[in-house]
Amino acid sequence: MRTLEQWFEEYAVSHQNPKNKAIHYVCVPAIYFSIVGLLMSIPSDFIARTLQLNAPIVENWAVVVLLFVLLFYIRLSVAMAFKIAVFSTLCLIANYYIGQVLPLWLFSIGVFAIAWIGQFYGHNIEGKKPSFLKDLQFLMIGPAWVVENLFSRK
């Protein structure tokens, strides 16, 4: 099993151009955010009935999926899992409030599409294919790489 640092080293190979990196710093969190919004848009009556919860931000599919996402990160780094958990919580809260004023699914699809266009534009500038085309796990490494690069003390 690769370490988080090994994943980052391999991911960084196709993310050297400063413009591509800047695009990723915006688009990767936007994609993560929009996926959380899309998951929150899925009707969750089953979860609410099964768990007998009365907290609207907890009783949705995004929370269920994010628990599995956190298991992926815990396996690599507890510290990174904590950082992703904080970001995930912020995504849940922001999407909840966006959903109160806009159709969340529609907003999320728009953000998702625009962010992916940005990602592919960035890789066009870079001249290298996105890492996830080599290994789908890089879709999970991208958010951690952004967190590490934007908030590390290096």
Side-chain angles (χ1 to χ4, degrees):
M1 180 173 90
R2 288 186 258 191
T3 66
L4 187 59
E5 291 74 27
Q6 290 170 322
W7 280 108
F8 285 163
E9 286 172 16
E10 191 172 345
Y11 191 82
V13 169
S14 60
H15 300 88
Q16 296 295 311
N17 183 291
K19 288 182 184 175
N20 185 31
K21 286 170 84 170
I23 289 168
H24 275 64
Y25 294 156
V26 173
C27 291
V28 168
I31 291 167
Y32 191 96
F33 180 81
S34 68
I35 291 171
V36 171
L38 288 169
L39 289 168
M40 288 178 73
S41 299
I42 299 170
S44 58
D45 294 343
F46 171 76
I47 296 173
R49 280 193 318 266
T50 304
L51 300 178
Q52 297 179 349
L53 297 172
N54 194 20
I57 204 152
V58 176
E59 52 189 47
N60 65 66
W61 288 107
V63 173
V64 174
V65 171
L66 288 172
L67 290 174
F68 287 102
V69 166
L70 290 177
L71 289 175
F72 174 85
Y73 289 114
I74 287 170
R75 201 175 52 111
L76 295 172
S77 163
V78 172
M80 182 55 68
F82 177 78
K83 293 173 190 175
I84 294 294
V86 169
F87 179 62
S88 297
T89 301
L90 294 173
C91 289
L92 288 166
I93 293 167
N95 273 301
Y96 173 78
Y97 286 109
I98 289 168
Q100 300 303 302
V101 295
L102 297 170
L104 184 57
W105 68 273
L106 189 58
F107 176 82
S108 297
I109 287 173
V111 170
F112 185 85
I114 291 167
W116 273 109
I117 289 167
Q119 290 283 87
F120 284 110
Y121 176 71
H123 279 287
N124 186 47
I125 292 170
E126 182 84 42
K128 295 183 180 157
K129 293 179 184 177
S131 300
F132 76 87
L133 294 176
K134 179 180 178 186
D135 187 335
L136 285 177
Q137 291 182 82
F138 280 112
L139 291 171
M140 299 286 285
I141 297 303
W145 181 82
V146 168
V147 166
E148 184 69 17
N149 281 282
L150 287 179
F151 302 107
S152 68
R153 295 183 181 178
K154 293 179 184 177

